């Protein structure tokens, strides 16, 4: 192995050596502890340390790194106290996730490290968002994100590279090509000769680096980072390396040919660098022994400290309180001046006033800039706020949602517009697995609002008409908002943007231009979890949201003899069960109307909760009304049959006659 020290001092070389042997010695300790049954699981990075150590040694301590589960060197080079790492791996309180996640599945703002999730791909888009925030701040910072050769097959990889290239984001995309995705060799994963070649397709600079040569890693990254700070841009790096242990220890390496293991053993990054330093007269045997003894002593002391740490005791209150970041609603007074506007105008007005109020708010979506969005909600926004904050995105949802998460991590607020709610399916993973879980896992907030134009009645067919709120009400950590009127739409949107938790904000397309209301011209907010009582009566409780509220109003207008409590839920998570229970106890009969298909929908859970908590007050069965159990069709006659408006009238009359 050829080492070129360039202009590095002896002190710097020794510093790199000490940083290189520290994760190796920790791993050797962990392998012993695994055999002793004291550690449950371990993902080894033996043979790959030079990449983590080299990159982390170059970056400033306030520059974000997004590592994987073989990048122990990132954590040790950032000088996280070992007892905290050990505590994390053992599920103790001094770790970073309160025992809720394992190994390196965590982040820490203190050390500017953002850990992975097991779905791998989303963190590439998160790096885009972090880098975008840096670019907006004009602070010259670079972000590094790690992935393996296996994850380069994921769609998120391609989406993230494309976005970074289009937006000239200063991201180092680090591919650790270690030969195997678990047991699958590279010749069964991709057909290009080198993964670095993929950069060509995105107009992106790329390099191939010997991942086992600490000096090549350090000097090349040092050169690139200096250039990227002057000329912000993404760079794709393929590090040729090898995984000397199994995917995780239980996997073993029987699937790897022995000659391949032997070849890479000769290229060990620690042994070869030690040999180079020794032959150059920089490292003596006594120095090496002293370095190792010092590190081993630190390891043993910190391990002992963690063993003395008590096991975490389950606290129901703490577990539930950590699902969402605490947020106290802030009410804003507004003048009496109102204007009669449509729901679409109220949403646009709320967005505009929130953009004025929050200078760190960025909106991202397809065609939202000069074109103004598919429904013209952001029309004129570019002229007022500029393309830096009103950003057209490529046609990709997953990496854009992940970028919203990255913006939040790096001090911004993000709004992601789905052109249609149906298209959120291609951004589903980062919403339900990253945004929803991040506060519970390591106390990071996801200050992201996902806007969801939804709903039928416009003959848009199976791919532009879904009302898919139940996908998200099932997911702890998300808040779900679904207004039916312009006044609510504006106030709830402002609250959603203020709230540091992820919010799915549904906007019914049929209501956009058909519903008018007097709306205050000023900025105002409406608290989540407070339903609106639209009508009051003693005969029956009608519960709905979105377009269903208007269908219920139409039906009740046809039957003035029916005196109903009509409850507009407004928010589905949190849900105002207090108002529902009070009404049911008064009327004794309840019918729940939703536009979504019936099975597994919001109405089912509300019905169950009413049965569990108000059974003795009921004078009839709880009725649920929803759309047919099919995809939503295109032709009007079929769509009218699919939607529940007509069935609602029949079921309401049947319930009252019960």
């Amino acid at each position: 192995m050829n080492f070129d020290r360039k202009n590095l001092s002896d002190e710097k070389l020794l510093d790199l050596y000490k940083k290189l042997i520290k994760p190796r010695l920790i791993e050797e300790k962990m392998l012993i502890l695994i055999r002793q049954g004291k550690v449950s699981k371990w993902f080894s990075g033996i043979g790959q340390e030079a990449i983590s150590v080299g990159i982390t040694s170059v970056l400033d301590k306030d520059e974000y790194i997004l590592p994987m589960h073989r990048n122990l060197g990132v954590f040790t080079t950032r000088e996280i106290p070992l007892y905290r790492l050990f505590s994390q791996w053992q599920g103790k309180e001094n770790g970073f996730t309160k025992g809720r996640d394992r190994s390196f599945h965590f982040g820490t703002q203190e050390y500017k490290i953002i850990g992975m999730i097991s779905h791998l791909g989303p963190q590439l888009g998160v790096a885009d968002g972090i880098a975008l925030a840096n670019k907006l701040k004009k602070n010259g910072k670079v972000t590094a994100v790690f992935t393996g050769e296996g994850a380069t097959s994921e769609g998120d990889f391609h989406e993230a590279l494309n976005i970074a290239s289009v937006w000239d984001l200063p991201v180092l995309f680090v591919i650790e090509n270690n030969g195997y995705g678990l047991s699958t060799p590279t010749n069964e994963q991709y057909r290009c000769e080198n993964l670095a070649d993929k950069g060509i397709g995105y107009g992106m600079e790329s390099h191939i680096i010997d991942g086992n040569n600490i000096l090549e890693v350090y000097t090349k990254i040092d050169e690139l980072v200096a250039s990227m700070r002057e000329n912000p841009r993404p760079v794709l790096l393929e590090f040729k390396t090898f995984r000397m242990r199994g995917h995780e220890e239980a996997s073993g390496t029987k699937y790897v040919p022995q000659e391949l293991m032997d070849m890479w053993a000769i290229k060990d990054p620690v042994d070869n660098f030690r040999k180079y330093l020794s032959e150059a007269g920089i490292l003596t045997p006594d120095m090496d022994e002293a370095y190792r003894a010092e590190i081993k002593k630190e390891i043993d002391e910190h391990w002992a400290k963690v063993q003395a740490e008590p096991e975490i005791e389950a606290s129901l209150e703490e577990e539930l309180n950590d699902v969402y970041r605490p947020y106290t609603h802030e009410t804003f007074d507004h003048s009496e001046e109102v204007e009669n506007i449509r729901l679409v105008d109220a949403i646009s007005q709320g967005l505009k006033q929130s953009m004025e109020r929050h200078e760190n708010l960025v909106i991202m979506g397809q065609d939202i800039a000069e074109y103004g969005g598919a429904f013209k909600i952001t029309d004129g926004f570019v002229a007022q706020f500029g393309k830096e904050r009103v950003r057209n995105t490529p046609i990709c949802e997953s990496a854009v949602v992940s970028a919203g998460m990255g913006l939040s991590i790096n001090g911004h607020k993000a709004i992601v517009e789905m052109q249609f709610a149906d298209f959120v399916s291609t951004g589903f993973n980062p919403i339900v697995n990253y945004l929803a879980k991040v506060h519970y896992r390591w106390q990071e907030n996801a200050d992201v609002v996902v806007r969801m134009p939804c709903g039928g009645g416009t003959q848009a067919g199976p791919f532009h008409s879904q009302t898919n709120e139940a996908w998200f009400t099932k997911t702890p950590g998300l808040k779900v908002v679904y207004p039916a009127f312009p006044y609510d739409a504006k106030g709830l949107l402002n609250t959603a943007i203020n709230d540091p938790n992820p919010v799915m904000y549904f906007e019914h397309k049929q209501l956009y231009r058909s519903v008018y209301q007097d709306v205050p011209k000023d900025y105002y907010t409406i608290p989540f979890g407070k339903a609106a009582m639209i009508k009051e009566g003693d005969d029956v409780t009608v519960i709905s949201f979105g377009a269903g509220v208007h269908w219920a109003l139409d039906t009740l207008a046809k039957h003035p003899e029916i005196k109903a409590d009509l409850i507009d839920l407004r928010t589905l998570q949190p849900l105002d069960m207090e108002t529902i229970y009070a009404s049911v106890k008064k009327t004794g009969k309840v019918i729940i109307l939703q536009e979504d298909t019936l099975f597994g929908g919001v109405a089912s859970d509300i019905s169950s909760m009413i049965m569990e908590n108000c059974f003795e007050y009921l004078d009839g069965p709880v009725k649920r009304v929803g759309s047919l159990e099919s995809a939503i069709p295109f032709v009007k006659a079929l769509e009218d049959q699919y939607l529940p408006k007509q069935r609602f009238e029949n079921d309401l009359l049947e319930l009252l006659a019960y």
Side-chain angles (χ1 to χ4, degrees), residues 400-539:
V400 177
V401 172
S402 298
M405 182 69 234
L407 282 167
S408 177
I409 286 171
N410 204 1
H412 281 67
K413 289 178 173 290
I415 296 174
V416 176
E417 178 185 301
M418 295 292 152
Q419 198 163 72
F420 292 86
D422 313 67
F423 300 165
V424 77
S425 56
T426 57
F428 193 72
N429 179 23
I431 292 173
V432 301
N433 285 314
Y434 208 131
L435 272 63
K437 297 175 181 176
V438 69
H439 188 268
Y440 174 76
R441 288 171 56 237
W442 54 276
Q443 306 298 289
E444 179 65 24
N445 61 287
D447 205 340
V448 182
V449 177
V450 182
R451 291 184 42 238
M452 302 275 286
C454 66
T458 59
Q459 293 82 62
F463 302 116
H464 295 78
S465 306
Q466 293 176 85
T467 173
N468 43 12
E469 67 281 347
W471 293 0
F472 305 104
T473 53
K474 176 67 180 70
T475 305
L478 300 176
K479 296 187 178 183
V480 181
V481 179
Y482 204 143
F485 296 94
Y487 175 83
D488 295 336
K490 179 178 174 180
L492 290 169
L493 179 58
N494 289 335
T495 299
I497 294 167
N498 291 340
D499 195 317
N501 293 285
V503 180
M504 308 301 295
Y505 183 88
F506 285 83
E507 308 167 7
H508 201 289
K509 305 188 306 294
Q510 192 180 43
L511 304 182
Y512 269 156
R513 291 172 169 81
S514 63
V515 178
Y516 288 75
Q517 194 177 28
D518 287 342
V519 175
K521 289 186 175 182
D522 294 348
Y523 179 90
Y524 64 94
T525 58
I526 296 173
F528 288 171
K530 299 293 184 183
M533 188 68 74
I534 306 298
K535 294 176 70 69
E536 293 190 56
D538 297 325
D539 295 340

Side-chain angles (χ1 to χ4, degrees), residues 180-211:
Y180 286 85
L182 208 159
S183 69
T184 305
T186 54
N187 67 339
E188 295 180 26
Q189 295 188 56
Y190 56 85
R191 277 290 182 261
C192 56
E193 183 177 355
N194 299 297
L195 289 170
D197 297 339
K198 293 180 182 286
I200 298 170
Y202 301 105
M204 185 183 298
E205 177 183 346
S206 62
H207 301 273
I208 298 173
I209 299 173
D210 181 353

Side-chain angles (χ1 to χ4, degrees), residues 254-272:
K254 290 183 179 179
Y255 49 84
V256 182
Q258 187 58 45
E259 58 269 24
L260 193 58
M261 296 290 290
D262 295 341
M263 183 188 80
W264 280 97
I266 296 170
K267 299 181 180 182
D268 184 278
V270 175
D271 291 346
N272 281 287

Side-chain angles (χ1 to χ4, degrees), residues 532-537 552-553 556-557 562 564-567 586:
M533 188 68 74
I534 306 298
K535 294 176 70 69
E536 293 190 56
L553 282 170
L556 292 172
I562 300 174
D565 270 2
L566 174 55
I567 299 173
K586 178 181 71 171

Side-chain angles (χ1 to χ4, degrees), residues 608-653:
S608 294
M609 287 187 282
I610 291 171
M611 293 291 287
E612 290 170 6
N613 292 278
C614 302
F615 182 77
E616 64 270 32
Y617 296 94
L618 292 173
D619 296 324
V622 176
K623 295 286 289 184
R624 297 172 301 133
V625 188
S627 290
L628 297 181
E629 297 296 323
S630 73
I632 182 168
F634 154 56
V635 173
K636 187 177 189 307
L638 296 177
E639 187 183 52
D640 287 347
Q641 175 182 256
Y642 168 87
L643 293 170
K645 182 175 181 179
Q646 299 305 319
R647 291 189 296 280
F648 171 71
E649 181 177 5
N650 295 333
D651 287 355
L652 174 63
L653 295 176

